[in-house]
Protein backbone atom coordinates (compact mmCIF):
# COMPACT_ATOMS: atom_id res chain seq x y z
CA UNK A 1 0.00 0.00 0.00
CA UNK A 2 1.36 3.43 -0.93
CA UNK A 3 1.98 5.94 1.85
CA UNK A 4 2.26 9.05 -0.29
CA UNK A 5 1.86 11.54 2.56
CA UNK A 6 5.60 11.12 3.21
CA UNK A 7 7.97 12.50 0.60
CA UNK A 8 10.73 10.06 -0.38
CA UNK A 9 14.14 10.75 -1.85
CA UNK A 10 16.63 8.33 -3.37
CA UNK A 11 20.34 9.11 -3.63
CA UNK A 12 22.39 6.74 -5.78
CA UNK A 13 20.81 5.09 -8.81
CA UNK A 14 23.41 2.58 -9.89
CA UNK A 15 22.29 -0.96 -10.67
CA UNK A 16 21.21 -1.76 -7.10
CA UNK A 17 19.90 1.69 -6.24
CA UNK A 18 17.84 1.86 -9.41
CA UNK A 19 16.29 -1.54 -8.75
CA UNK A 20 15.40 -0.61 -5.17
CA UNK A 21 14.02 2.83 -6.02
CA UNK A 22 12.11 1.22 -8.87
CA UNK A 23 10.32 -1.02 -6.38
CA UNK A 24 9.08 2.07 -4.52
CA UNK A 25 7.93 3.78 -7.71
CA UNK A 26 6.17 0.61 -8.85
CA UNK A 27 4.41 0.49 -5.47
CA UNK A 28 2.93 3.92 -6.16
CA UNK A 29 5.27 6.06 -4.08
CA UNK A 30 6.26 9.54 -5.21
CA UNK A 31 10.06 9.35 -5.29
CA UNK A 32 12.60 12.09 -6.04
CA UNK A 33 15.96 10.79 -7.27
CA UNK A 34 19.50 12.12 -7.64
CA UNK A 35 22.63 10.53 -9.01
CA UNK A 36 26.08 11.95 -9.71
CA UNK A 37 25.79 10.64 -13.29
CA UNK A 38 22.40 11.99 -14.30
CA UNK A 39 21.94 9.56 -17.20
CA UNK A 40 21.52 6.73 -14.68
CA UNK A 41 18.27 8.32 -13.46
CA UNK A 42 16.60 8.13 -16.90
CA UNK A 43 14.96 4.69 -16.46
CA UNK A 44 13.48 5.78 -13.12
CA UNK A 45 12.21 9.02 -14.64
CA UNK A 46 10.50 6.93 -17.31
CA UNK A 47 8.75 5.00 -14.52
CA UNK A 48 7.51 8.23 -12.96
CA UNK A 49 10.22 9.30 -10.51
CA UNK A 50 11.17 12.97 -10.25
CA UNK A 51 14.80 13.76 -11.04
CA UNK A 52 16.25 16.61 -8.94
CA UNK A 53 19.28 18.74 -9.74
CA UNK A 54 21.18 18.68 -6.44
CA UNK A 55 21.51 16.79 -3.19
CA UNK A 56 20.14 19.90 -1.48
CA UNK A 57 16.93 19.44 -3.46
CA UNK A 58 16.76 15.84 -2.28
CA UNK A 59 17.32 16.90 1.34
CA UNK A 60 13.88 18.54 1.32
CA UNK A 61 12.31 15.06 1.32
CA UNK A 62 11.25 13.67 4.69
CA UNK A 63 12.93 10.29 4.16
CA UNK A 64 16.02 9.91 1.99
CA UNK A 65 17.43 6.52 1.03
CA UNK A 66 21.12 6.27 0.15
CA UNK A 67 22.77 3.56 -1.96
CA UNK A 68 26.42 4.29 -2.80
CA UNK A 69 29.52 2.18 -3.46
CA UNK A 70 32.11 3.11 -0.85
CA UNK A 71 32.48 4.51 2.68
CA UNK A 72 34.02 7.67 1.20
CA UNK A 73 30.97 8.11 -1.03
CA UNK A 74 28.65 7.76 1.95
CA UNK A 75 30.49 10.39 3.98
CA UNK A 76 30.58 12.75 1.01
CA UNK A 77 26.86 12.58 0.21
CA UNK A 78 25.75 12.82 3.84
CA UNK A 79 28.31 14.87 5.75
CA UNK A 80 30.23 16.53 2.91
CA UNK A 81 30.17 20.18 1.89
CA UNK A 82 27.17 19.60 -0.39
CA UNK A 83 25.75 16.62 1.47
CA UNK A 84 22.32 15.93 2.92
CA UNK A 85 23.23 17.57 6.23
CA UNK A 86 24.87 20.67 4.76
CA UNK A 87 21.88 22.87 3.99
CA UNK A 88 19.08 24.49 5.95
CA UNK A 89 16.64 21.79 4.80
CA UNK A 90 17.38 18.33 6.11
CA UNK A 91 15.48 15.04 5.91
CA UNK A 92 13.85 13.66 9.04
CA UNK A 93 15.38 10.22 8.42
CA UNK A 94 18.31 9.01 6.34
CA UNK A 95 18.19 5.30 5.45
CA UNK A 96 21.55 4.05 4.22
CA UNK A 97 21.39 0.80 2.26
CA UNK A 98 25.07 0.73 1.26
CA UNK A 99 27.54 -1.93 2.41
CA UNK A 100 30.09 -0.07 4.54
CA UNK A 101 32.01 -0.65 7.74
CA UNK A 102 30.45 -0.22 11.16
CA UNK A 103 33.06 2.46 11.88
CA UNK A 104 32.00 4.58 8.94
CA UNK A 105 28.35 3.99 9.75
CA UNK A 106 28.84 5.13 13.36
CA UNK A 107 30.64 8.26 12.19
CA UNK A 108 27.85 9.20 9.81
CA UNK A 109 25.22 8.34 12.43
CA UNK A 110 26.89 10.67 14.94
CA UNK A 111 26.88 13.53 12.42
CA UNK A 112 23.23 12.92 11.59
CA UNK A 113 22.25 12.78 15.26
CA UNK A 114 24.09 16.06 15.89
CA UNK A 115 22.02 17.60 13.08
CA UNK A 116 18.81 16.22 14.63
CA UNK A 117 18.35 13.73 11.80
CA UNK A 118 17.52 10.08 12.44
CA UNK A 119 19.83 7.53 10.79
CA UNK A 120 19.02 3.94 9.94
CA UNK A 121 21.61 1.52 8.57
CA UNK A 122 19.72 -0.84 6.26
CA UNK A 123 21.97 -2.89 3.94
CA UNK A 124 20.29 -5.22 1.49
CA UNK A 125 20.97 -8.78 0.36
CA UNK A 126 20.25 -9.62 -3.27
CA UNK A 127 21.49 -8.63 -6.71
CA UNK A 128 19.51 -6.18 -8.90
CA UNK A 129 17.55 -9.00 -10.55
CA UNK A 130 16.54 -10.43 -7.16
CA UNK A 131 15.57 -6.95 -5.96
CA UNK A 132 13.46 -6.30 -9.05
CA UNK A 133 11.64 -9.60 -8.50
CA UNK A 134 10.89 -8.71 -4.88
CA UNK A 135 13.12 -11.41 -3.43
CA UNK A 136 15.66 -9.31 -1.53
CA UNK A 137 16.16 -9.11 2.25
CA UNK A 138 16.98 -6.03 4.31
CA UNK A 139 18.56 -5.99 7.76
CA UNK A 140 18.36 -2.68 9.60
CA UNK A 141 19.81 -1.20 12.76
CA UNK A 142 19.26 2.06 14.54
CA UNK A 143 16.50 3.41 16.79
CA UNK A 144 13.54 1.04 16.72
CA UNK A 145 11.20 4.02 16.23
CA UNK A 146 13.06 4.98 13.04
CA UNK A 147 12.82 1.41 11.79
CA UNK A 148 9.09 1.27 12.44
CA UNK A 149 8.55 4.56 10.61
CA UNK A 150 10.28 3.41 7.42
CA UNK A 151 9.38 -0.29 7.56
CA UNK A 152 6.40 0.16 5.17
CA UNK A 153 8.84 1.36 2.50
CA UNK A 154 11.40 -1.33 3.27
CA UNK A 155 8.62 -3.89 2.91
CA UNK A 156 7.84 -2.50 -0.55
CA UNK A 157 11.48 -3.07 -1.54
CA UNK A 158 12.20 -6.46 0.06
CA UNK A 159 10.40 -9.65 1.05
CA UNK A 160 12.07 -9.71 4.49
CA UNK A 161 12.96 -6.74 6.70
CA UNK A 162 14.58 -7.36 10.08
CA UNK A 163 15.66 -5.04 12.88
CA UNK A 164 19.01 -6.25 14.25
CA UNK A 165 19.83 -3.70 16.94
CA UNK A 166 20.05 -0.06 17.94
CA UNK A 167 23.51 0.76 16.56
CA UNK A 168 25.60 -0.72 13.70
CA UNK A 169 24.70 -4.40 14.05
CA UNK A 170 23.16 -4.57 10.57
CA UNK A 171 26.53 -3.80 8.99
CA UNK A 172 28.07 -6.90 10.54
CA UNK A 173 25.04 -9.04 9.70
CA UNK A 174 25.29 -8.07 6.01
CA UNK A 175 29.05 -8.67 5.94
CA UNK A 176 28.60 -12.08 7.55
CA UNK A 177 26.08 -12.93 4.84
CA UNK A 178 28.62 -12.03 2.15
CA UNK A 179 31.41 -13.88 3.93
CA UNK A 180 29.24 -16.98 3.96
CA UNK A 181 28.32 -16.49 0.30
CA UNK A 182 31.98 -16.33 -0.71
CA UNK A 183 32.88 -19.41 1.35
CA UNK A 184 29.87 -21.27 -0.05
CA UNK A 185 30.83 -20.54 -3.66
CA UNK A 186 34.42 -21.60 -3.07
CA UNK A 187 33.15 -24.88 -1.59
CA UNK A 188 30.79 -25.32 -4.53
CA UNK A 189 33.48 -24.86 -7.19
CA UNK A 190 35.85 -27.16 -5.31
CA UNK A 191 33.47 -30.12 -5.24
CA UNK A 192 32.33 -29.38 -8.79
CA UNK A 193 35.90 -29.51 -10.08
CA UNK A 194 36.47 -32.75 -8.17
CA UNK A 195 33.58 -34.59 -9.80
CA UNK A 196 34.59 -33.21 -13.19
CA UNK A 197 38.14 -34.45 -12.75
CA UNK A 198 36.62 -37.83 -11.91
CA UNK A 199 34.74 -37.92 -15.20
CA UNK A 200 31.26 -36.54 -14.37
CA UNK A 201 29.81 -33.65 -16.31
CA UNK A 202 29.29 -30.62 -14.07
CA UNK A 203 25.74 -30.11 -15.35
CA UNK A 204 24.85 -33.62 -14.20
CA UNK A 205 26.48 -33.09 -10.82
CA UNK A 206 24.69 -29.78 -10.26
CA UNK A 207 21.36 -31.31 -11.26
CA UNK A 208 21.93 -33.99 -8.62
CA UNK A 209 23.12 -31.50 -6.00
CA UNK A 210 20.13 -29.24 -6.55
CA UNK A 211 17.79 -32.10 -5.70
CA UNK A 212 19.39 -32.86 -2.34
CA UNK A 213 18.91 -31.46 1.15
CA UNK A 214 22.01 -29.24 0.76
CA UNK A 215 20.51 -27.42 -2.24
CA UNK A 216 19.66 -23.71 -2.10
CA UNK A 217 17.61 -21.37 -4.25
CA UNK A 218 20.73 -19.31 -4.95
CA UNK A 219 22.69 -22.25 -6.32
CA UNK A 220 19.71 -23.36 -8.39
CA UNK A 221 19.38 -19.91 -9.94
CA UNK A 222 23.10 -19.64 -10.66
CA UNK A 223 23.52 -23.21 -11.97
CA UNK A 224 22.96 -22.21 -15.63
CA UNK A 225 25.71 -19.57 -15.30
CA UNK A 226 28.12 -22.09 -13.78
CA UNK A 227 27.34 -24.70 -16.42
CA UNK A 228 27.87 -22.20 -19.26
CA UNK A 229 30.69 -20.39 -17.46
CA UNK A 230 28.84 -17.12 -17.93
CA UNK A 231 30.55 -14.63 -15.63
CA UNK A 232 28.41 -11.62 -16.53
CA UNK A 233 28.74 -9.68 -13.27
CA UNK A 234 25.92 -9.68 -10.78
CA UNK A 235 28.43 -9.22 -7.93
CA UNK A 236 32.06 -8.85 -8.92
CA UNK A 237 35.07 -10.62 -7.46
CA UNK A 238 36.45 -7.23 -6.49
CA UNK A 239 33.21 -6.38 -4.68
CA UNK A 240 33.46 -9.64 -2.77
CA UNK A 241 37.05 -8.86 -1.81
CA UNK A 242 35.92 -5.51 -0.39
CA UNK A 243 33.39 -7.23 1.83
CA UNK A 244 35.92 -9.84 2.95
CA UNK A 245 38.31 -7.02 3.86
CA UNK A 246 35.63 -5.42 6.02
CA UNK A 247 34.30 -8.67 7.50
CA UNK A 248 37.66 -10.17 8.39
CA UNK A 249 38.73 -6.85 9.88
CA UNK A 250 35.74 -6.96 12.21
CA UNK A 251 36.50 -10.58 13.06
CA UNK A 252 39.99 -9.54 14.15
CA UNK A 253 38.65 -6.69 16.26
CA UNK A 254 36.12 -9.01 17.93
CA UNK A 255 38.73 -11.78 18.40
CA UNK A 256 36.76 -14.32 16.34
CA UNK A 257 38.81 -16.92 14.43
CA UNK A 258 37.84 -17.24 10.74
CA UNK A 259 40.03 -20.00 9.29
CA UNK A 260 37.75 -20.84 6.34
CA UNK A 261 37.03 -17.20 5.62
CA UNK A 262 40.73 -16.30 5.70
CA UNK A 263 41.63 -19.08 3.26
CA UNK A 264 38.79 -18.03 0.96
CA UNK A 265 40.04 -14.45 1.03
CA UNK A 266 43.40 -15.55 -0.32
CA UNK A 267 41.67 -17.45 -3.14
CA UNK A 268 39.60 -14.38 -3.98
CA UNK A 269 42.79 -12.34 -4.09
CA UNK A 270 44.40 -14.91 -6.39
CA UNK A 271 41.36 -14.84 -8.68
CA UNK A 272 41.74 -11.09 -9.01
CA UNK A 273 45.40 -11.63 -9.79
CA UNK A 274 44.62 -13.87 -12.77
CA UNK A 275 42.24 -11.35 -14.33
CA UNK A 276 38.85 -12.10 -12.76
CA UNK A 277 38.50 -8.74 -10.95
CA UNK A 278 35.50 -7.47 -12.91
CA UNK A 279 33.88 -10.85 -13.51
CA UNK A 280 31.06 -12.27 -11.42
CA UNK A 281 32.52 -13.89 -8.32
CA UNK A 282 31.18 -17.25 -9.50
CA UNK A 283 34.24 -17.10 -11.75
CA UNK A 284 36.15 -18.50 -8.78
CA UNK A 285 35.39 -21.69 -10.70
CA UNK A 286 37.94 -20.71 -13.38
CA UNK A 287 40.71 -20.44 -10.83
CA UNK A 288 39.71 -23.78 -9.30
CA UNK A 289 39.60 -25.39 -12.76
CA UNK A 290 43.15 -24.23 -13.42
CA UNK A 291 44.36 -25.71 -10.18
CA UNK A 292 42.63 -28.99 -11.02
CA UNK A 293 44.14 -29.01 -14.55
CA UNK A 294 40.68 -28.90 -16.09
CA UNK A 295 41.41 -26.10 -18.57
CA UNK A 296 41.40 -28.31 -21.64
CA UNK A 297 38.43 -30.40 -20.53
CA UNK A 298 36.23 -27.35 -19.84
CA UNK A 299 37.38 -25.14 -22.68
CA UNK A 300 39.02 -22.50 -20.48
Amino acid sequence: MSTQSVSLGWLGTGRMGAAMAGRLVDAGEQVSVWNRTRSKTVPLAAKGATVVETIADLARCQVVFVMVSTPTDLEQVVTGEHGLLAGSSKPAIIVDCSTVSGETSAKVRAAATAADVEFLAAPISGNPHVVAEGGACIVASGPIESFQRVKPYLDEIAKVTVHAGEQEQSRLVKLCHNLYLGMMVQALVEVTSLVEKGGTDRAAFLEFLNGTVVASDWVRKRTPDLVKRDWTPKFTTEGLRKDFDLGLGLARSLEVPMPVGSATYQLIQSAIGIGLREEDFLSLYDQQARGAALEQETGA
Side-chain angles (χ1 to χ4, degrees), residues 25-299:
V25 176
D26 289 344
E29 304 295 350
Q30 297 299 314
V31 183
S32 297
V33 300
W34 180 89
N35 193 74
R36 185 165 42 200
T37 305
R38 187 183 174 92
S39 61
K40 292 185 178 181
T41 65
V42 171
L44 286 168
K47 281 177 171 278
T50 300
V51 180
V52 300
E53 296 296 326
T54 68
I55 292 178
D57 295 328
L58 207 64
R60 296 188 179 98
C61 297
Q62 292 165 280
V63 178
V64 176
F65 293 82
V66 177
M67 186 58 158
V68 292
S69 299
T70 70
T72 301
D73 291 335
L74 178 61
E75 291 189 55
Q76 181 180 9
V77 301
V78 178
T79 65
E81 182 181 0
H82 302 292
L84 290 168
L85 302 180
S88 56
S89 296
K90 299 178 181 62
I93 304 178
I94 295 173
V95 182
D96 178 52
C97 301
S98 315
T99 299
V100 300
S101 68
E103 182 181 8
T104 297
S105 186
K107 183 178 179 181
V108 174
R109 182 187 302 280
T113 301
D116 200 27
V117 173
E118 298 175 41
F119 183 82
L120 195 70
I124 187 167
S125 169
N127 63 47
H129 300 291
V130 172
V131 172
E133 294 168 0
C137 301
I138 291 175
V139 57
S141 59
I144 186 64
E145 296 83 5
S146 302
F147 174 72
Q148 289 169 341
R149 287 175 65 183
V150 302
K151 191 175 188 300
Y153 310 113
L154 299 178
D155 287 342
E156 289 174 342
I157 297 169
K159 67 175 182 179
V160 173
T161 58
V162 176
H163 184 253
E166 295 281 327
Q167 297 298 321
E168 313 311 326
Q169 292 91 340
S170 64
R171 305 298 190 183
L172 180 55
V173 171
K174 172 61 188 300
L175 289 170
C176 285
H177 168 274
N178 285 8
L179 287 169
Y180 176 69
L181 188 59
M183 290 184 274
M184 180 185 74
V185 166
Q186 179 58 35
L188 176 65
V189 301
E190 286 184 21
V191 295
T192 300
S193 69
L194 177 59
V195 296
E196 284 188 271
K197 193 67 180 286
T200 298
D201 181 78
R202 68 175 171 275
F205 170 66
L206 291 167
E207 182 180 358
F208 163 76
L209 190 72
N210 285 331
T212 71
V213 294
V214 300
S216 72
D217 288 341
W218 188 90
V219 174
R220 290 191 187 101
K221 287 181 178 179
R222 297 306 308 272
T223 287
D225 296 332
L226 182 53
V227 170
K228 294 182 294 183
R229 298 175 72 178
D230 179 359
W231 312 141
T232 303
K234 296 179 174 66
F235 182 39
T236 65
T237 306
E238 183 173 38
L240 183 65
R241 180 179 65 174
K242 181 199 79 169
D243 290 349
F244 266 68
D245 279 330
L246 293 171
L248 293 176
L250 284 169
R252 284 191 295 274
S253 68
L254 292 170
E255 301 289 356
V256 176
M258 298 284 290
V260 177
S262 297
T264 302
Y265 176 83
Q266 297 303 322
L267 293 164
I268 294 166
Q269 182 62 57
S270 296
I272 288 173
I274 65 170
L276 300 173
R277 178 189 301 270
E278 299 298 332
E279 304 290 348
D280 189 271
F281 76 110
L282 197 57
S283 65
L284 286 170
Y285 170 86
D286 276 354
Q287 175 174 254
Q288 179 66 23
R290 287 191 186 191
L294 283 168
E295 294 95 336
Q296 207 136 10
E297 297 168 44
T298 56

